Each structure stands twice: as structure tokens, then as C-alpha cells.
Amino acid sequence: MRNLRVAVVGLGRIGKVHLETLLRRTAGVEVISVWDPRSAKAEEAARSGGIPSVGKSFSEILEADVDAVILCSPTDTHTEYVIAAARAGKHIFCEKPLALSLAEIRDAIAAVEAAGVQLMVGYNRRFDPNHSKARQMVETGKIGAPHLLKITSRDPAPPPPEYCAVSGGMFLDMTIHDFDLARYVMGSEVKEVFARATSLVDERIGQSGDVDTAVITLDFENGAIGVIDNSRRAVYGYDQRLEVFGSAGMVQIDNTRHDTHEFFGAEGTQRALLHDFFMDRYREAFAVEMGAFVESIRMGREVPVTGHDGLLSVAIALAAKKSVADNRPVHIDEV
């Protein structure tokens, strides 16, 4: 079976992560071309990665002899690029979120279905081995009937306020990973959201109309309750924890660190710092995720994270935003 031929579109922070993963850590794939509107970035990536072609435009990428495109471009381009790629007969891996509105996402899904290609959305945390284990314990009944879910997700530093103003806000940019992870681990859909949020980290984020600190309560269709707490700044590092409590037990996922050493001395104990950010903490998850996409396309299987998954996570995020604005619980059907 020949290798999957792909082009990478967008070479910002996440684009570089995916490109490195494809080049160094993914079997059965060849990166044929790259494109970024900042041509110097694309040319440098091609030189350092031994990539044979640098596209001059997105339309030129679609004319190339590739089977799939890896979309790491800004969110406001996702729908346009997904639809164009689908019509060109290319399979698509698209970073989250698919779009900031449900109507746009439905248009993208319709184009993908009409073209008979596959669309996978980049929710990498599903592919973390620890989260997969938690999902398995819920799915097999190891913890009994799930009652409570707790997710803590705190970034080490906030993004620039100008980024927050165009990203769709914290719920659509950051917490959306937690919304998808909640659905995945619990194996149940969210039916209602109640969120409280404010700006305590950077007043400029609040001035831009966004929030940086939040607590979100989720009601699941299986009767369980979930709680997510978020902050844009944890001074001690990238804080990622998860717990599912059930009728027969509990599973916890703690933070991972740079190493596992512990120092004991007269003045106390010392442990390694938490990971700096998602590029380190979820390095293995990115590799498993991209491997799953490549294998699904090569083997003709459905991708593990579909456009429908992307739609539902954005619906939860929009419900959370409405909940904050209205100061009340919001049913998913309302959005």
C-alpha cells in the first residue's frame, strides 16, 4: 500500500507541531508540499524538512498531487478551506474549531459528505494514553456507573489580547478541548451547560470582550454531572488533570512532568516542574492522533474524530458563552 501524500497548510505554532510529527513520527505518509501566506516560513520548513514543493497559494495546493490536506490555518479560514478541499477530492485533517458558528460547520460537513471524502478534527487530547485509559475504564464499567467528571485545564500564560479578540474567545479556543474530552471520556452527550466566567488574569482580555477564568458545569444525558475549571495562567506550569467518579470506583489522571525525580532534603522535597505547554504535554498524543488519521485514510476506515464531533463541541462552547451572557443554565438545543 503506497504512502498517503499530504500537504500542510499553515505553519504557525500548531502547524509546526503537526509538520514535525508527520516528518519524524508518522509512518505511511509523505509530506509533498507546504503553504503559508508568509512565504518565508513555508520555504524554511521545506528546506529543513526536505519537502519537495512550496505552494504559492491554497488553490495551488489543491491542484497538487496529494491525497489529503492538513489544515492548521487561522480559524476564520477553516470553513472555506474545508469546502474547497472537499470539492477538490482531498481528505482533510482540520485543527479545532471547525468554525465559530454551527451554520458554517454544517456547510463544511455537507460539502465533505457530498464529495465522499473524510474530515477529521484535531482534538488531540482524546489520543493521550492516560485519557484513553480513563475512557476505557468508563466504557467497560470498571468504575461502575459514572456520576461525576472533573477536568482542570490551566494554561501557563495567556495569549495576547488581540488573539483572544479573533479566536472566538476562551470557550471556543481553549475550553473546547475540555468539552470534547468530556464527551469522549464519559461516552455521553452534554445536554445542558451552566458557566460562570470573568477576567482576573489580564484586564486587557476582559476589555477585548473575552474571559480568562471560568467554571463550567455540564449535565450529561446519562445523568452524570461534570465540572470544568479553566484559567489562562497557572504560574507553576501547564495544569492538566481529570477525574471520573462512579458507583464502583474512581479513575484519576494527574499532571505529567519533565521527569519523575523527587529530591528529599532538610528543607523539604522537590519535584520536577510541570510541562511548559501543550506541545510538550501532549507530544505523544499528537503522534497517535496523526497516525490515526493517516491509517484511517489508507485503510478506508472512518476517522476517529468526525465533523459531527467538531459540531457538538462548538455547540457546547456556544452554550457556555450564552450561559455567561444570560447568567443561567443553557440547554444545548437553544444553540
Side-chain angles (χ1 to χ4, degrees):
M1 184 179 296
R2 73 176 181 87
N3 288 343
L4 188 74
R5 296 163 63 87
V6 305
V8 177
V9 174
L11 293 165
R13 184 170 61 183
I14 193 62
K16 290 177 181 177
V17 170
H18 286 313
L19 180 59
E20 176 68 17
T21 300
L22 286 161
L23 290 173
R24 315 287 182 220
R25 308 186 69 207
T26 310
V29 65
E30 295 177 58
V31 181
I32 301 301
S33 188
V34 292
W35 175 70
D36 190 288
R38 299 156 295 185
S39 59
K41 280 184 173 288
E43 289 165 4
E44 172 56 29
R47 278 195 301 270
S48 62
I51 299 165
S53 171
V54 176
K56 294 183 176 62
S57 65
F58 182 64
S59 59
E60 185 176 293
I61 288 289
L62 296 183
E63 294 169 1
D65 182 21
V66 297
D67 306 303
V69 292
I70 312 299
L71 298 182
C72 310
S73 53
T75 299
D76 60 5
T77 67
H78 286 177
T79 302
E80 174 190 351
Y81 288 179
V82 166
I83 292 173
R87 289 174 177 169
K90 312 298 184 184
H91 299 289
I92 306 144
F93 177 96
C94 183
E95 259 304 320
K96 61 78 197 169
L98 272 176
L100 302 181
S101 80
L102 299 182
E104 288 182 85
I105 295 174
R106 290 191 181 99
D107 287 344
I109 292 173
V112 166
E113 292 176 347
V117 297
Q118 293 222 57
L119 166 64
M120 178 165 164
V121 185
Y123 288 115
N124 64 289
R125 294 184 191 178
R126 289 179 175 227
F127 300 92
D128 175 74
N130 303 294
H131 295 154
S132 298
K133 187 68 173 180
R135 153 89 176 203
Q136 179 188 23
M137 288 190 165
V138 173
E139 193 172 38
T140 60
K142 184 75 171 179
I143 67 161
H147 292 174
L148 295 170
L149 167 73
K150 294 182 182 180
I151 296 176
T152 291
S153 182
R154 302 168 186 162
D155 284 355
E162 54 269 24
Y163 171 82
C164 299
V166 299
S167 70
M170 187 171 76
F171 292 142
L172 281 155
D173 166 55
M174 175 184 169
T175 322
I176 198 162
H177 276 296
D178 305 313
F179 294 146
D180 180 73
L181 185 59
R183 293 182 56 243
Y184 170 71
V185 170
M186 296 296 277
S188 181
E189 298 301 341
V190 173
K191 65 178 183 179
E192 190 172 82
V193 180
F194 184 41
R196 297 298 301 271
T198 187
S199 179
L200 299 174
V201 171
D202 187 335
E203 63 180 12
R204 296 174 300 167
I205 291 177
Q207 291 165 0
S208 75
D210 196 16
V211 297
D212 55 38
T213 306
V215 174
I216 308 106
T217 302
L218 308 175
D219 286 355
F220 292 91
E221 289 182 353
N222 64 3
I225 301 170
V227 178
I228 299 170
D229 76 80
N230 290 144
S231 175
R232 285 286 198 183
R233 183 174 64 202
V235 296
Y236 49 85
Y238 190 43
D239 191 355
Q240 298 284 289
R241 288 171 281 153
L242 179 145
E243 173 185 302
V244 186
F245 171 82
S247 59
M250 175 178 70
V251 56
Q252 287 184 328
I253 308 300
D254 204 351
N255 282 310
T256 59
R257 300 173 183 270
H258 288 289
D259 59 60
T260 60
H261 90 274
E262 289 189 62
F263 170 75
F264 298 82
E267 295 180 355
T269 62
Q270 176 180 302
R271 302 173 68 188
L273 292 171
L274 303 182
H275 287 293
D276 299 325
F277 209 5
F278 67 88
M279 298 84 76
D280 298 318
R281 168 62 182 85
Y282 290 114
R283 185 170 184 268
E284 181 64 25
F286 282 119
V288 177
E289 173 188 52
M290 197 54 69
F293 173 72
V294 170
E295 184 179 3
S296 294
I297 302 305
R298 293 181 75 209
M299 301 300 292
R301 296 198 295 257
E302 184 179 35
V303 292
V305 190
T306 66
H308 184 66
D309 292 310
L311 177 78
L312 291 175
S313 294
V314 170
I316 300 170
L318 294 175
K321 291 187 73 169
K322 183 172 178 60
S323 176
V324 171
D326 295 354
N327 191 28
R328 65 175 179 86
V330 173
H331 201 281
I332 295 299
D333 288 347
E334 293 185 52
V335 297

